[in-house]
Amino acid sequence: MQYLNLHIKKILGLAFFLSIGLFAIQAQAQTVIHGEVKDVQQVGIPGVSVALKTSATTAVVTISD
């Protein structure tokens, strides 16, 4: 019985940390980037990938319209 309680605690702990991770991912998904992507003739370029480096390991990537 004690062995079962230990597994239940581990599963609940893992579920707790996974739920926190999902909230962190959702918070990152709400980042907004404003601006214009233009060529050398100052003409807008649609469909360009734009990356905002937020730290050494993560970046927010979007595509211009």
Side-chain angles (χ1 to χ4, degrees):
M1 188 69 171
Q2 192 174 16
Y3 181 75
L4 183 60
N5 286 338
L6 181 61
H7 279 289
I8 291 173
K9 287 181 183 178
K10 285 183 180 180
I11 290 171
L12 289 176
L14 180 61
F16 174 74
F17 285 112
L18 288 175
S19 65
I20 290 175
L22 291 175
F23 287 121
I25 290 171
Q26 182 182 10
Q28 284 183 337
Q30 295 175 359
T31 301
V32 177
I33 300 172
H34 293 281
E36 297 178 4
V37 180
K38 295 182 178 182
D39 64 8
V40 293
Q41 283 89 24
Q42 298 300 311
V43 177
I45 308 172
V48 176
S49 295
V50 179
L52 173 65
K53 190 172 182 180
T54 57
S55 70
T57 58
T58 61
V60 176
V61 180
T62 189
I63 301 198
S64 67
D65 55 2

